[in-house]
Amino acid sequence: MSTPEATNAPIHVESADHLDELIAANDIVLVDYHAEWCGPCKMLEPTVEEIAKETDAVVAKVDIDELQELARDKQIRSVPTLQFFAHGEKAHQVIGVQSKDDLVDVIEQLA
């Protein structure tokens, strides 16, 4: 597998395969399922960006309108939905706007 995509910014997911590669290549991945038209998603965006900068987790952003089939396969029914993956396995999921502290706590527990 390639070198993990270490970054301080959220990664825009381009396909289901791209998401699978990110999950496989990184220890902790936070996937933010969002939509341009979603007000709560916009409220959560600065928090997600801070988490990408301040933690070792890779943050992946999935636009559910661009990747409808992926969202359907992952059973995303509302946005924002945040899924946490640890060592390639889905470990946790939350729906709706969350506090930064709560999200960082989940990442730290999974690390």
Coordinates of all heavy atoms in Angstrom, one line a residue, residues 1-71:
M1 N 0.8 -1.2 0.0 CA 0.0 0.0 0.0 C 0.9 1.2 0.0 O 2.0 1.2 0.5 CB -0.9 0.0 1.2 CG -2.0 1.0 1.2 SD -3.6 0.5 0.9 CE -3.8 0.3 -0.8
S2 N 0.4 2.3 -0.5 CA 1.1 3.5 -0.7 C 1.3 4.2 0.7 O 0.6 3.8 1.7 CB 0.5 4.5 -1.6 OG -0.8 4.8 -1.2
T3 N 2.1 5.2 0.8 CA 2.3 6.0 2.0 C 1.0 6.6 2.4 O 0.3 7.1 1.5 CB 3.4 7.1 1.7 OG1 4.5 6.5 1.1 CG2 3.8 7.7 3.0
P4 N 0.7 6.6 3.7 CA -0.6 7.3 4.1 C -0.6 8.8 3.6 O 0.4 9.4 3.6 CB -0.5 7.2 5.6 CG 0.4 6.0 5.9 CD 1.4 6.0 4.8
E5 N -1.8 9.2 3.3 CA -1.9 10.6 2.9 C -2.0 11.5 4.1 O -3.0 12.1 4.4 CB -3.2 10.8 2.0 CG -3.1 10.2 0.7 CD -4.3 10.6 -0.2 OE1 -4.7 11.7 -0.3 OE2 -4.9 9.7 -0.8
A6 N -0.8 11.7 4.7 CA -0.8 12.6 5.9 C -1.0 14.0 5.4 O -0.4 14.5 4.5 CB 0.6 12.5 6.6
T7 N -2.0 14.6 6.0 CA -2.3 16.0 5.6 C -2.9 16.7 6.8 O -3.4 16.2 7.7 CB -3.3 15.9 4.4 OG1 -3.6 17.3 4.0 CG2 -4.6 15.2 4.8
N8 N -2.8 18.1 6.7 CA -3.4 18.9 7.7 C -4.7 19.5 7.2 O -5.3 20.4 7.9 CB -2.5 20.0 8.1 CG -1.3 19.5 8.9 OD1 -1.4 18.4 9.5 ND2 -0.2 20.2 8.9
A9 N -5.3 19.0 6.1 CA -6.5 19.5 5.6 C -7.4 18.3 5.3 O -6.9 17.2 4.9 CB -6.3 20.3 4.4
P10 N -8.7 18.5 5.3 CA -9.6 17.4 4.9 C -9.3 17.0 3.4 O -9.0 17.8 2.6 CB -11.0 18.0 5.0 CG -10.8 19.0 6.1 CD -9.5 19.6 5.8
I11 N -9.5 15.7 3.2 CA -9.3 15.2 1.8 C -10.6 15.0 1.1 O -11.5 14.3 1.7 CB -8.5 13.8 1.9 CG1 -7.2 14.0 2.5 CG2 -8.4 13.2 0.5 CD1 -6.5 12.7 2.9
H12 N -10.8 15.6 0.0 CA -12.1 15.4 -0.8 C -12.1 14.0 -1.4 O -11.2 13.7 -2.3 CB -12.2 16.5 -1.9 CG -13.4 16.4 -2.7 ND1 -14.6 16.7 -2.3 CD2 -13.5 15.9 -4.0 CE1 -15.5 16.5 -3.2 NE2 -14.9 16.0 -4.3
V13 N -13.0 13.2 -1.0 CA -13.1 11.8 -1.6 C -13.7 11.9 -3.0 O -14.7 12.5 -3.2 CB -13.9 10.9 -0.6 CG1 -14.1 9.6 -1.3 CG2 -13.3 10.8 0.7
E14 N -13.0 11.2 -3.9 CA -13.4 11.2 -5.3 C -14.2 10.0 -5.8 O -14.8 10.0 -6.8 CB -12.2 11.5 -6.2 CG -11.5 12.8 -5.9 CD -10.2 13.0 -6.5 OE1 -9.8 12.1 -7.3 OE2 -9.5 14.0 -6.1
S15 N -14.1 8.9 -5.0 CA -14.8 7.7 -5.4 C -14.8 6.7 -4.2 O -14.1 6.9 -3.2 CB -14.0 7.0 -6.6 OG -12.7 6.6 -6.1
A16 N -15.6 5.6 -4.4 CA -15.6 4.6 -3.3 C -14.2 4.0 -3.1 O -13.8 3.7 -2.0 CB -16.6 3.6 -3.7
D17 N -13.5 3.8 -4.2 CA -12.2 3.2 -4.2 C -11.2 4.1 -3.4 O -10.4 3.7 -2.6 CB -11.6 2.9 -5.6 CG -12.3 1.7 -6.2 OD1 -13.0 0.9 -5.5 OD2 -12.2 1.5 -7.5
H18 N -11.3 5.4 -3.7 CA -10.5 6.4 -3.0 C -10.7 6.3 -1.5 O -9.8 6.3 -0.7 CB -10.8 7.8 -3.6 CG -9.9 8.8 -3.0 ND1 -10.3 10.1 -2.9 CD2 -8.6 8.8 -2.6 CE1 -9.3 10.9 -2.4 NE2 -8.3 10.1 -2.2
L19 N -12.0 6.3 -1.1 CA -12.3 6.2 0.3 C -11.7 4.9 0.9 O -11.1 4.9 2.0 CB -13.8 6.2 0.6 CG -14.2 6.1 2.0 CD1 -13.7 7.3 2.9 CD2 -15.8 6.1 2.1
D20 N -11.9 3.8 0.2 CA -11.4 2.5 0.7 C -9.9 2.5 0.9 O -9.3 2.0 1.8 CB -11.7 1.3 -0.3 CG -13.2 1.0 -0.2 OD1 -13.9 1.4 0.7 OD2 -13.7 0.3 -1.2
E21 N -9.2 3.2 -0.1 CA -7.7 3.3 0.0 C -7.3 4.2 1.3 O -6.4 3.8 2.0 CB -7.1 4.0 -1.2 CG -7.2 3.1 -2.4 CD -6.9 3.9 -3.7 OE1 -6.4 5.0 -3.7 OE2 -7.2 3.3 -4.8
L22 N -8.0 5.3 1.5 CA -7.7 6.1 2.7 C -7.9 5.3 4.0 O -7.1 5.4 4.9 CB -8.6 7.3 2.7 CG -8.3 8.4 1.6 CD1 -9.5 9.4 1.6 CD2 -7.0 9.1 1.9
I23 N -9.0 4.6 4.0 CA -9.3 3.8 5.2 C -8.2 2.7 5.5 O -7.8 2.5 6.6 CB -10.7 3.2 5.2 CG1 -11.8 4.3 5.3 CG2 -10.9 2.1 6.3 CD1 -13.2 3.9 4.9
A24 N -7.8 2.1 4.4 CA -6.8 1.0 4.5 C -5.5 1.5 4.8 O -4.7 0.8 5.5 CB -6.8 0.2 3.2
A25 N -5.1 2.7 4.3 CA -3.7 3.2 4.4 C -3.5 4.0 5.7 O -2.3 4.3 6.0 CB -3.4 4.1 3.2
N26 N -4.5 4.3 6.5 CA -4.3 5.1 7.7 C -4.9 4.5 8.9 O -6.0 3.8 8.8 CB -5.0 6.5 7.4 CG -4.3 7.2 6.3 OD1 -3.3 7.8 6.5 ND2 -4.9 7.2 5.1
D27 N -4.3 4.7 10.1 CA -4.8 4.1 11.3 C -6.1 4.6 11.7 O -7.0 3.8 12.0 CB -3.8 4.3 12.4 CG -2.5 3.6 12.2 OD1 -2.5 2.6 11.5 OD2 -1.5 3.9 12.9
I28 N -6.3 5.9 11.7 CA -7.6 6.5 12.1 C -8.1 7.4 11.0 O -7.4 8.3 10.6 CB -7.5 7.3 13.4 CG1 -6.8 6.5 14.6 CG2 -8.8 7.9 13.9 CD1 -7.6 5.4 15.1
V29 N -9.3 7.2 10.6 CA -9.9 8.0 9.5 C -11.3 8.5 10.0 O -12.1 7.7 10.5 CB -10.1 7.2 8.2 CG1 -10.7 8.1 7.1 CG2 -8.7 6.7 7.7
L30 N -11.5 9.8 9.9 CA -12.8 10.4 10.2 C -13.4 10.7 8.8 O -12.9 11.5 8.1 CB -12.7 11.6 11.1 CG -13.9 12.5 11.2 CD1 -15.1 11.8 11.7 CD2 -13.6 13.7 12.0
V31 N -14.6 10.1 8.5 CA -15.3 10.4 7.3 C -16.5 11.3 7.6 O -17.4 11.0 8.3 CB -15.7 9.1 6.6 CG1 -16.4 9.4 5.2 CG2 -14.6 8.1 6.4
D32 N -16.5 12.5 6.9 CA -17.5 13.5 7.1 C -18.4 13.4 5.8 O -18.0 13.8 4.7 CB -16.9 14.9 7.2 CG -17.9 16.0 7.2 OD1 -19.1 15.7 7.4 OD2 -17.5 17.1 7.1
Y33 N -19.6 12.8 6.0 CA -20.6 12.8 4.9 C -21.4 14.1 4.9 O -22.0 14.4 6.0 CB -21.5 11.6 5.0 CG -20.8 10.3 4.8 CD1 -20.3 9.7 6.0 CD2 -20.6 9.7 3.6 CE1 -19.6 8.4 5.8 CE2 -20.0 8.5 3.5 CZ -19.4 7.9 4.6 OH -18.8 6.7 4.5
H34 N -21.4 14.9 3.9 CA -22.0 16.2 3.9 C -22.6 16.5 2.5 O -22.5 15.8 1.6 CB -20.9 17.3 4.2 CG -19.9 17.4 3.1 ND1 -20.0 18.4 2.1 CD2 -18.8 16.7 2.8 CE1 -19.0 18.2 1.3 NE2 -18.3 17.2 1.6
A35 N -23.3 17.7 2.5 CA -23.9 18.2 1.2 C -23.8 19.7 1.2 O -23.8 20.3 2.3 CB -25.3 17.8 1.1
E36 N -23.6 20.3 0.0 CA -23.5 21.7 -0.1 C -24.7 22.5 0.5 O -24.6 23.5 1.0 CB -23.3 22.1 -1.6 CG -21.9 21.8 -2.1 CD -20.8 22.6 -1.4 OE1 -21.0 23.8 -1.1 OE2 -19.8 22.0 -1.0
W37 N -25.9 21.9 0.3 CA -27.1 22.5 0.7 C -27.4 22.4 2.2 O -28.4 22.9 2.7 CB -28.3 22.0 -0.1 CG -28.3 20.5 -0.1 CD1 -27.8 19.7 -1.2 CD2 -28.8 19.6 0.9 NE1 -28.0 18.4 -0.9 CE2 -28.6 18.2 0.4 CE3 -29.4 19.7 2.1 CZ2 -28.9 17.1 1.1 CZ3 -29.7 18.6 2.8 CH2 -29.5 17.3 2.3
C38 N -26.6 21.7 2.9 CA -26.9 21.3 4.3 C -26.3 22.4 5.3 O -25.1 22.5 5.4 CB -26.2 19.9 4.6 SG -26.2 19.5 6.3
G39 N -27.2 23.1 6.0 CA -26.8 24.1 6.9 C -25.9 23.6 8.1 O -24.8 24.1 8.4
P40 N -26.4 22.5 8.7 CA -25.6 21.9 9.8 C -24.2 21.4 9.4 O -23.2 21.5 10.1 CB -26.4 20.8 10.3 CG -27.8 21.2 10.0 CD -27.7 21.9 8.7
C41 N -24.1 21.0 8.1 CA -22.8 20.6 7.6 C -21.9 21.7 7.5 O -20.7 21.6 7.9 CB -23.0 20.0 6.2 SG -24.0 18.5 6.1
K42 N -22.4 22.9 7.1 CA -21.6 24.1 7.0 C -21.1 24.5 8.4 O -20.0 25.0 8.6 CB -22.3 25.2 6.3 CG -22.5 25.0 4.8 CD -23.1 26.1 4.1 CE -23.5 25.9 2.7 NZ -22.6 25.1 1.9
M43 N -22.0 24.4 9.4 CA -21.6 24.7 10.8 C -20.5 23.8 11.3 O -19.7 24.2 12.1 CB -22.9 24.5 11.7 CG -23.9 25.6 11.6 SD -25.4 25.2 12.5 CE -24.8 24.8 14.1
L44 N -20.5 22.5 10.9 CA -19.5 21.5 11.4 C -18.2 21.7 10.6 O -17.2 21.2 11.2 CB -20.1 20.1 11.2 CG -19.4 19.0 11.8 CD1 -19.3 19.1 13.3 CD2 -20.0 17.7 11.4
E45 N -18.2 22.3 9.5 CA -17.0 22.3 8.6 C -15.8 22.9 9.3 O -14.7 22.2 9.3 CB -17.3 23.1 7.3 CG -16.2 22.9 6.3 CD -16.6 23.3 4.9 OE1 -17.8 23.7 4.7 OE2 -15.7 23.3 4.1
P46 N -15.8 24.0 10.0 CA -14.6 24.5 10.7 C -14.1 23.5 11.7 O -12.9 23.4 11.9 CB -15.1 25.8 11.4 CG -16.4 26.2 10.7 CD -17.0 24.9 10.2
T47 N -15.0 22.8 12.4 CA -14.6 21.9 13.4 C -13.8 20.7 12.8 O -12.8 20.3 13.3 CB -15.8 21.3 14.2 OG1 -16.5 22.4 14.8 CG2 -15.4 20.3 15.2
V48 N -14.3 20.2 11.7 CA -13.7 19.1 10.9 C -12.3 19.6 10.4 O -11.4 18.8 10.5 CB -14.6 18.7 9.8 CG1 -13.9 17.7 8.9 CG2 -15.9 18.0 10.4
E49 N -12.2 20.8 10.0 CA -10.9 21.3 9.5 C -9.9 21.4 10.6 O -8.8 21.1 10.4 CB -11.1 22.7 8.8 CG -11.8 22.5 7.5 CD -12.2 23.9 6.8 OE1 -11.9 24.9 7.4 OE2 -12.7 23.9 5.7
E50 N -10.4 21.8 11.8 CA -9.5 21.9 13.0 C -9.0 20.5 13.4 O -7.8 20.3 13.7 CB -10.2 22.6 14.1 CG -10.4 24.1 14.0 CD -11.2 24.7 15.1 OE1 -11.2 24.1 16.2 OE2 -11.8 25.8 14.9
I51 N -9.9 19.5 13.3 CA -9.5 18.2 13.7 C -8.5 17.6 12.7 O -7.5 17.0 13.1 CB -10.8 17.3 13.7 CG1 -11.6 17.6 15.0 CG2 -10.4 15.8 13.7 CD1 -13.0 17.0 15.0
A52 N -8.6 18.0 11.4 CA -7.6 17.5 10.4 C -6.3 18.1 10.8 O -5.2 17.5 10.6 CB -8.1 17.9 9.0
K53 N -6.2 19.4 11.2 CA -5.0 20.1 11.5 C -4.4 19.6 12.8 O -3.1 19.5 12.9 CB -5.2 21.6 11.6 CG -5.3 22.3 10.4 CD -5.5 23.8 10.6 CE -5.9 24.5 9.3 NZ -6.8 25.6 9.6
E54 N -5.2 19.3 13.8 CA -4.7 19.1 15.2 C -4.6 17.7 15.7 O -4.1 17.5 16.7 CB -5.6 19.9 16.1 CG -5.6 21.4 15.9 CD -6.7 22.2 16.6 OE1 -7.3 21.6 17.5 OE2 -6.9 23.3 16.3
T55 N -5.1 16.7 14.9 CA -5.0 15.3 15.3 C -4.2 14.5 14.2 O -4.0 15.0 13.1 CB -6.4 14.7 15.5 OG1 -7.0 14.5 14.3 CG2 -7.3 15.6 16.4
D56 N -3.9 13.3 14.6 CA -3.3 12.4 13.7 C -4.3 11.7 12.7 O -3.9 11.0 11.8 CB -2.5 11.3 14.4 CG -1.3 11.9 15.1 OD1 -0.8 13.0 14.7 OD2 -0.8 11.4 16.1
A57 N -5.5 11.9 13.0 CA -6.6 11.3 12.2 C -6.6 11.9 10.8 O -6.4 13.1 10.6 CB -8.0 11.4 12.8
V58 N -6.8 11.1 9.8 CA -7.0 11.6 8.4 C -8.5 11.9 8.3 O -9.4 11.1 8.7 CB -6.6 10.5 7.4 CG1 -7.1 10.9 6.0 CG2 -5.1 10.4 7.4
V59 N -8.8 13.1 7.8 CA -10.2 13.5 7.7 C -10.6 13.4 6.2 O -10.0 14.1 5.3 CB -10.5 14.9 8.2 CG1 -11.9 15.4 8.0 CG2 -10.2 14.9 9.7
A60 N -11.6 12.6 5.9 CA -12.1 12.5 4.5 C -13.5 13.1 4.4 O -14.3 12.8 5.3 CB -12.1 11.0 4.1
K61 N -13.7 13.9 3.4 CA -15.0 14.5 3.2 C -15.7 13.8 1.9 O -15.1 13.8 0.9 CB -14.9 16.0 3.0 CG -14.4 16.7 4.3 CD -14.4 18.2 4.2 CE -15.8 18.8 4.1 NZ -16.6 18.8 5.3
V62 N -16.9 13.4 2.2 CA -17.7 12.8 1.1 C -19.0 13.6 0.8 O -19.8 13.8 1.7 CB -18.2 11.3 1.5 CG1 -19.1 10.7 0.4 CG2 -16.9 10.4 1.7
D63 N -19.0 14.2 -0.4 CA -20.2 14.9 -0.8 C -21.3 13.9 -1.3 O -21.1 13.2 -2.3 CB -19.8 15.9 -1.9 CG -21.0 16.8 -2.4 OD1 -22.2 16.3 -2.4 OD2 -20.8 18.0 -2.7
I64 N -22.4 13.8 -0.5 CA -23.3 12.8 -0.8 C -24.1 13.0 -2.1 O -24.6 12.1 -2.7 CB -24.4 12.6 0.3 CG1 -25.2 13.8 0.5 CG2 -23.7 12.2 1.6 CD1 -26.5 13.6 1.3
D65 N -24.1 14.2 -2.6 CA -24.7 14.5 -3.9 C -23.8 14.0 -5.1 O -24.2 13.5 -6.1 CB -25.0 16.0 -4.1 CG -26.2 16.4 -3.1 OD1 -27.1 15.5 -2.9 OD2 -26.2 17.5 -2.7
E66 N -22.5 14.2 -4.9 CA -21.5 13.7 -5.9 C -21.4 12.2 -5.9 O -21.2 11.6 -7.0 CB -20.1 14.3 -5.6 CG -19.9 15.8 -6.0 CD -18.5 16.3 -5.7 OE1 -17.6 15.4 -5.5 OE2 -18.4 17.5 -5.5
L67 N -21.4 11.6 -4.7 CA -21.2 10.2 -4.6 C -22.4 9.5 -4.0 O -22.3 8.9 -2.9 CB -19.9 10.0 -3.7 CG -18.6 10.5 -4.3 CD1 -17.5 10.4 -3.3 CD2 -18.3 9.9 -5.6
Q68 N -23.5 9.6 -4.7 CA -24.8 9.1 -4.1 C -24.7 7.6 -3.9 O -25.2 7.1 -2.9 CB -25.9 9.4 -5.1 CG -26.2 10.9 -5.2 CD -27.4 11.2 -6.1 OE1 -28.1 10.3 -6.6 NE2 -27.5 12.5 -6.4
E69 N -24.1 6.9 -4.8 CA -24.0 5.4 -4.6 C -23.2 5.0 -3.4 O -23.6 4.1 -2.6 CB -23.4 4.8 -5.9 CG -23.5 3.3 -5.9 CD -23.1 2.7 -7.2 OE1 -23.5 3.2 -8.3 OE2 -22.4 1.6 -7.2
L70 N -22.1 5.7 -3.2 CA -21.2 5.5 -2.0 C -22.0 5.8 -0.7 O -22.0 5.0 0.2 CB -20.0 6.3 -2.0 CG -19.1 6.4 -0.8 CD1 -18.6 5.0 -0.4 CD2 -18.0 7.3 -0.9
A71 N -22.7 6.9 -0.7 CA -23.5 7.2 0.5 C -24.6 6.2 0.7 O -24.8 5.8 1.9 CB -24.2 8.6 0.3

